[in-house]
Amino acid sequence: MGMILVVDDNGDNRFLLQQMLSLNGYSVISAVNGQDALDKVHNTTPDLVLMDMAMPVKDGWTATAELKAESRYSHIPVIAVTGHTTYNELSRATAAGCIDYLEKPIDYEVLVNKVAQYLKKNEKQLALGA
């Protein structure tokens, strides 16, 4: 089905997202901050990343921008998972390379639909060599 990297400094949030995704057959790995996320991407190459934006060590904006700057990983869709949903914050996430966002608290149906949508879209793009 796909491997998803869940990045969040809050253990309860990571656990909740992992449970929601696992119930839908996804393999899930997790990271506790942006630097940990980059390390996990380099070791596992997930199919999609759910990235918290406000984290210590390396925030989600910085980690996403660094990930997207690496041609080997730039195809991986990154969805911002955030409580920061002002226009400026969402614009900042888009500028960093996020393709969409999920607002905290997470709505289960929205999560499942967006993950499926972007995994399917990414599979088609990779098949076409885009």
Side-chain angles (χ1 to χ4, degrees), residues 55-120:
M55 296 180 288
V57 180
K58 185 174 287 189
D59 64 42
W61 297 284
T62 303
T64 299
E66 289 180 16
L67 177 69
K68 292 300 182 173
E70 295 185 59
S71 60
R72 182 174 170 195
Y73 304 110
S74 62
H75 70 281
I76 300 172
V78 179
I79 299 174
V81 180
T82 184
H84 303 275
T85 57
T86 65
Y87 175 78
N88 288 339
E89 295 295 331
L90 295 177
S91 294
R92 187 175 170 202
T94 301
C98 294
I99 56 170
D100 205 337
Y101 74 97
L102 289 164
E103 184 174 3
K104 292 179 180 178
I106 302 298
D107 178 290
Y108 176 78
E109 292 297 323
V110 173
L111 168 70
V112 171
N113 289 333
K114 284 190 182 193
V115 166
Q117 171 191 346
Y118 288 110
L119 283 175
K120 189 175 203 176

Side-chain angles (χ1 to χ4, degrees), residues 2-6 14 17-23 25-30 50:
M3 183 190 316
I4 303 181
L5 172 59
V6 171
R14 279 193 316 274
L17 286 166
Q18 288 173 317
Q19 293 302 307
M20 290 177 172
L21 295 165
S22 295
L23 285 172
Y26 296 108
S27 295
V28 183
I29 56 175
S30 66
L50 296 177

Side-chain angles (χ1 to χ4, degrees), residues 11-54:
D12 291 338
N13 291 343
R14 279 193 316 274
F15 179 78
L16 181 63
L17 286 166
Q18 288 173 317
Q19 293 302 307
M20 290 177 172
L21 295 165
S22 295
L23 285 172
N24 283 276
Y26 296 108
S27 295
V28 183
I29 56 175
S30 66
V32 298
N33 59 55
Q35 185 58 57
D36 189 25
L38 292 173
D39 294 342
K40 296 278 172 76
V41 167
H42 294 146
N43 291 325
T44 62
T45 313
D47 298 303
L48 185 137
V49 177
L50 296 177
M51 181 77 75
D52 183 21
M53 303 316 284

